[in-house]
Amino acid sequence: MKTKKIDLHNHTVRCNHAEGTVESYIERAIDLGIDIYGFSEHAPMDFDEGYRVSFEEMKAYETDILRARETYADRIDIRLGYEVDWLPGHMDERVLNAGVDFLIGSVHFIDKWGFDNPEFIGEWHERDVDTVWRNYFEAVTAMVRSGHFDIVGHLDLIKLFGDWPTTDVRALARPALEAIARSGMVLEINTAGLRKPVGELYPARPLLEEAHALKIPVTFGSDAHAPGQVGAGLEEAYALARAVGYTEAVTFQNRQPQMIKF
C-alpha cells in the first residue's frame, strides 16, 4: 500500500469566514505534496446562518468542488464533504442525505452557545468549566450515536481558549470515545488547535492514546480557512499519530471508507 498524504477538512469563502479561491487551496495542497484533499464546508442550517454556506448555495458549492475535481484529476484527488453542526432540531435532511464523499460531525454549540466563537467568549466566565466540558462530551456522544456522520471533528475543541476542567479529561471523554468505537466512525486529527490559544492538536495525545487503545481509526485535516493554512501542522499530526501507534488513516469516497498508509 503506497504512502499518501491526506487532508480532508478544509473550507471555502462560501462559509463567510474564510478567504481565497477554491483553486488557491488546491494549488497549495499540490505544492505540499498532498495526495487526497477534501473540502468540508460548514453545512447550512437555520441557525447561526452567518457562519456557513446557505441552502441556496449548496448546489453551487458542490458544483465548484466537483468541477475542481475534474480539472485537477491528474494532479490531486479531490473529495467533497460537509462539516455538519450537531444541533438537535436544526439539522436538515438536505444536508444529511447530500450526495457527498463524507460528512464530518462537529459540536460547536452547547445549548446554542457558540463556545468556540470569540464573540461569545464572555460566557465562559458565567459557567462552571467542569459542567461545560461534561455537557460538551455529552453532545459529542449524542452526535456519534445519531449515526448520521462519518468523521468526528476536532474531538476536544472545547479546550481551544485554554479553559481546563478539574476532572481528568480522559474520564470526561471516555463515554464519547466508547461510542465512537462502537459506531465505526473515524476520529479526525485536526491541526487547527495549533493556531488557537490552546496551541495543540485536536485531540491531545492522551485522548488519541485512548482512541488507539479502542481501535478507533483516524483521518487528518488542517481545517484551513485560508490557503496559507492548508496542510499547516500536518507533519506534526502525522508524527503524533505514528508515535501513538497508527500507521493507516481513512479517507472516504461516496460515504465508503478507504484505508491508506500515511
Side-chain angles (χ1 to χ4, degrees):
M1 189 184 298
K2 181 184 176 183
T3 300
K4 293 187 176 182
K5 293 180 71 174
I6 179 174
D7 183 356
L8 285 189
H9 187 157
N10 299 281
H11 296 276
T12 77
V13 293
R14 292 189 186 276
C15 70
N16 304 309
H17 60 285
E19 60 186 51
T21 64
V22 166
E23 291 76 16
S24 64
Y25 285 78
I26 295 172
E27 293 287 351
R28 176 62 177 162
I30 291 170
D31 288 345
L32 292 172
I34 292 170
D35 299 285
I36 301 174
Y37 187 78
F39 286 96
S40 50
E41 192 54 280
H42 291 283
M45 68 178 180
D46 63 348
F47 183 80
D48 196 43
E49 291 96 334
Y51 287 93
R52 61 194 65 256
V53 66
S54 67
F55 285 107
E56 292 74 21
E57 288 193 314
M58 271 185 77
K59 184 64 175 178
Y61 160 67
E62 294 172 14
T63 299
D64 286 348
I65 307 310
L66 293 176
R67 185 181 295 121
R69 172 185 288 173
E70 293 181 8
T71 301
Y72 289 92
D74 61 340
R75 301 174 66 192
I76 192 169
D77 187 347
I78 301 296
R79 304 292 169 91
L80 169 64
Y82 283 106
E83 181 181 16
V84 186
D85 281 300
W86 174 254
L87 194 61
H90 295 275
M91 291 166 291
D92 194 283
E93 293 297 321
R94 286 170 288 181
V95 172
L96 299 178
N97 295 321
V100 296
D101 292 311
F102 61 92
L103 294 178
I104 299 173
S106 296
V107 175
H108 291 100
F109 300 96
I110 298 173
D111 300 326
K112 297 188 178 180
W113 167 42
F115 61 82
D116 66 328
N117 189 332
E119 290 182 38
F120 309 116
I121 194 171
E123 184 76 16
W124 275 98
H125 305 300
E126 307 299 323
R127 300 197 182 208
D128 175 72
V129 173
D130 280 70
T131 300
V132 169
W133 276 71
R134 188 171 295 106
N135 290 344
Y136 171 79
F137 280 114
E138 287 171 353
V140 173
T141 302
M143 182 269 291
V144 169
R145 288 175 176 167
S146 75
H148 290 312
F149 311 106
D150 306 300
I151 300 169
V152 179
H154 35 57
L155 176 66
D156 53 356
L157 177 68
I158 194 71
K159 71 187 179 184
L160 91 163
F161 291 126
D163 297 274
W164 296 99
T166 57
T167 308
D168 189 328
V169 172
R170 290 170 296 184
L172 292 172
R174 185 74 187 186
L177 286 166
E178 290 174 347
I180 296 167
R182 288 191 296 269
S183 74
M185 288 180 70
V186 174
L187 180 65
E188 170 193 63
I189 303 177
N190 183 307
T191 68
L194 296 170
R195 307 191 293 269
K196 303 298 183 178
V198 72
E200 64 179 35
L201 296 165
Y202 307 122
R205 179 166 183 156
L207 294 187
L208 194 59
E209 289 174 342
E210 295 275 325
H212 185 263
L214 289 167
K215 297 182 170 56
I216 296 171
V218 296
T219 192
F220 299 92
S222 57
D223 207 343
H225 287 71
Q229 295 173 352
V230 172
L234 278 183
E235 293 302 331
E236 184 171 336
Y238 298 151
L240 175 61
R242 292 188 193 102
V244 168
Y246 287 100
T247 60
E248 294 182 333
V250 183
T251 183
F252 289 87
Q253 194 164 37
N254 298 320
R255 306 294 300 274
Q256 297 302 307
Q258 303 170 323
M259 298 299 298
I260 63 166
K261 284 194 174 296
F262 64 89

